Amino acid sequence: MTFCAAPSDGSMETTQRSPMRRGACPSLSTPMMTGDGLLVRLRPEKPGFTLPELMAIAEAAAVCGNGILEITARGNLQIRGLTTQTVPLLSQKIADAGIAIAQGLAIETPPLAGLDPTEIADAVSVAQQLRLAVAAHQPPLILAPKLSIVVDGGGQLHLGAVTADIRLRAVQTNGQVFWLLALAGTEKTARRIALLEAAAVVSAVMDILKNLAAIGRDARARDIVGAVSTRWAAAADLDLIAALAPAPNAAGIHGLGEKRSVLGIGLPFGQIHAQGLGALLEALEILGATEIRLAPGQALMVLGIAPDRIGAAQALALGHGLRAFPRDPRNHIAACAGVGACGSARIDTRAVAQMVVDTAPGLLDGSLMVHVSGCAKGCAKPSASALTITAAPTGYGLVVNGPASAVPTAYIEENNIRTALEHLDKLVSERKQGGESARSCLTRLGADGIIAAVQQG
């Protein structure tokens, strides 16, 4: 991989950047201070946790923190409410349970990698090769703390919607498997660079990482996306490679072939208390569950339950207040921790998210995602949403077709948010044409129509 120009002006998302810079990823070695204490984010070295391992983490979270656990939009586990005294204790408890936690560069694979018979290629093996290459490089590569790589072998729950600096996606062309290399974005927005044979993947990615390290520890793929050329010939026209269809929501039952299934259980707005998680895991273990994998969409993927028991597990999860069905309207809301939990947040995001469910169900038909953000950083969903509700100096800002960092399309006074949502729901319900989705309806009505609805008296 060669670089034929100086770093670009960062055209990807340049107009959407917030002046509040998102810091390094919190880990056991570098916890992050938030509104409710220190926060630690955990990524397992293995694809998932055994039930006893996750039970041990829940118990440790209750003892060392405030008992609140979260699964992030990218599928990582967070423990909240820690202190400088309890972080070492948490680390010791995790080590005592024999749980290996990944450190360093985030290299992510789909939650069902290695299990899904519809996969094109083995993403776990490629990811491991990359980890070993990065670890072996001398001198060590100093990279941006939030730099990430996605290695996607395909399958049902692919990572097309996850933003990454470097993307690798398995594709089949003329009966052969190649890896599509793209930079800076999601499956839809990333710049396609090359179609690589498997033997060239590690070398190509390492070239990019070394060049990023040479630029400086803050360099991201968006800074070089316009300056990369490749010495590997593409086996096909990159523009002719079909885009991935959107992945289904993780919540619900997903078939794995040979009469095997996995149950996806989503946390309501990404959070669960340690006591509730422990009780859920104990019940799932009785039903035969053996392993839990974390998934984007703030979900737990439960493995090992026999087909004749998986319906009972689904009902059990629903009884715990969790998202266990594809048509749960909460599947279509992304909300961050909010005021009280995050020092940057200025609104109660979970209360607003529940308000959307209660007052504007017409928006939640699955055609769009409503993002509720406590500040302009947009941690729960950094990319654009059809509708984003965020904090504003006098209440709330509504962003149409943009991220939380964008200038709001309309402003809503604090006391008027419920009424505004009711008006927006009424707009969609009354103006939808036959067979039209909420997204299509809002697109047709445009930003002016949305503004007029939410700013009614």
Side-chain angles (χ1 to χ4, degrees):
M1 195 74 64
T2 57
F3 287 70
C4 56
S8 74
D9 63 359
S11 58
M12 177 204 168
E13 299 178 355
T14 302
T15 60
Q16 301 172 354
R17 290 185 192 171
S18 165
M20 291 185 290
R21 184 175 178 273
R22 297 167 70 194
C25 292
S27 64
L28 281 169
S29 58
T30 56
M32 182 177 72
M33 179 56 70
T34 63
D36 58 355
L38 293 172
L39 178 145
V40 161
R41 185 175 300 157
L42 306 177
R43 289 183 289 115
E45 276 194 356
K46 300 180 299 182
F49 297 106
T50 65
L51 269 70
E53 286 174 341
L54 198 51
M55 287 179 187
I57 290 175
E59 292 171 2
V63 171
C64 303
N66 59 14
I68 295 176
L69 297 101
E70 297 174 327
I71 300 177
T72 70
R74 301 182 73 91
N76 293 316
L77 182 65
Q78 293 186 161
I79 298 174
R80 306 194 69 94
L82 302 162
T83 68
T84 53
Q85 291 76 33
T86 60
V87 169
L89 177 60
L90 173 68
S91 182
Q92 186 60 53
K93 286 181 174 293
I94 289 173
D96 290 345
I99 304 169
I101 300 300
Q103 303 291 334
L105 177 63
I107 302 177
E108 300 167 321
T109 57
L112 301 182
L115 301 173
D116 191 336
T118 65
E119 284 181 314
I120 295 173
D122 182 5
V124 174
S125 175
V126 173
Q128 183 60 16
Q129 292 174 46
L130 288 171
R131 290 189 186 97
L132 292 174
V134 171
H137 189 273
Q138 293 297 327
L141 296 173
I142 307 300
L143 300 166
K146 286 188 173 289
L147 192 142
S148 64
I149 299 174
V150 159
V151 184
D152 198 331
Q156 303 168 68
L157 298 180
H158 60 74
L159 300 182
V162 175
T163 301
D165 290 86
I166 301 171
R167 305 188 64 85
L168 292 163
R169 177 178 44 112
V171 298
Q172 270 189 321
T173 301
N174 299 324
Q176 290 183 276
V177 174
F178 294 89
W179 290 89
L180 176 62
L181 172 66
L183 298 181
T186 63
E187 162 73 20
K188 183 178 180 180
T189 63
R191 176 80 62 85
R192 294 181 175 187
I193 301 298
L195 199 62
L196 306 173
E197 294 184 357
V201 165
V202 173
S203 177
V205 173
M206 289 302 295
D207 274 359
I208 294 172
L209 294 177
K210 285 185 282 188
N211 278 279
L212 287 171
I215 294 170
R217 66 170 295 119
D218 292 331
R220 302 290 297 273
R222 61 176 174 249
D223 300 319
I224 60 170
V225 70
V228 180
S229 63
T230 178
R231 56 190 168 91
W232 289 277
D237 186 336
L238 301 183
D239 292 333
L240 296 180
I241 298 172
L244 287 170
N249 193 278
I253 299 172
H254 306 271
L256 294 178
E258 298 180 356
K259 298 182 179 180
R260 295 184 305 147
S261 297
V262 57
L263 174 61
I265 299 174
L267 306 190
F269 313 131
Q271 262 189 15
I272 192 169
H273 196 276
Q275 184 177 6
L277 177 59
L280 174 70
L281 293 173
E282 287 180 358
L284 290 174
E285 191 172 39
I286 293 172
L287 290 172
T290 56
E291 181 183 348
I292 303 289
R293 295 192 178 188
L294 309 182
Q298 303 171 323
L300 305 167
M301 308 306 297
V302 185
L303 303 171
I305 300 178
D308 61 345
R309 290 188 169 190
I310 205 162
Q314 197 172 25
L316 172 75
L318 185 63
H320 279 74
L322 305 176
R323 299 182 286 115
F325 293 85
R327 302 182 89 169
D328 191 316
R330 296 173 297 174
N331 291 339
H332 312 301
I333 301 179
C336 65
V339 70
C342 175
S344 300
R346 290 183 289 160
I347 60 173
D348 186 341
T349 54
R350 283 170 168 72
V352 173
Q354 187 60 50
M355 196 183 299
V356 174
V357 174
D358 296 338
T359 64
L363 301 176
L364 305 177
D365 63 355
S367 64
L368 59 83
M369 179 69 73
V370 177
H371 177 197
V372 184
S373 182
C375 71
K377 291 187 292 182
C379 296
K381 193 177 184 297
S383 57
S385 291
L387 292 172
T388 297
I389 301 169
T390 187
T394 59
Y396 303 89
L398 179 68
V399 180
V400 178
N401 292 323
S405 57
V407 176
T409 310
Y411 291 93
I412 305 166
E413 292 185 5
E414 185 173 359
N415 294 332
N416 292 342
I417 182 64
R418 177 177 290 274
T419 301
L421 290 172
E422 290 172 347
H423 287 163
L424 194 55
D425 184 69
K426 182 179 180 182
L427 175 73
V428 171
S429 299
E430 292 182 348
R431 301 290 293 276
K432 268 202 310 187
Q433 298 174 352
E436 195 173 35
S437 69
R439 175 185 282 277
S440 297
C441 177
L442 292 175
T443 300
R444 178 171 53 79
L445 297 174
D448 289 344
I450 296 171
I451 294 170
V454 300
Q455 291 186 337
Q456 290 181 51

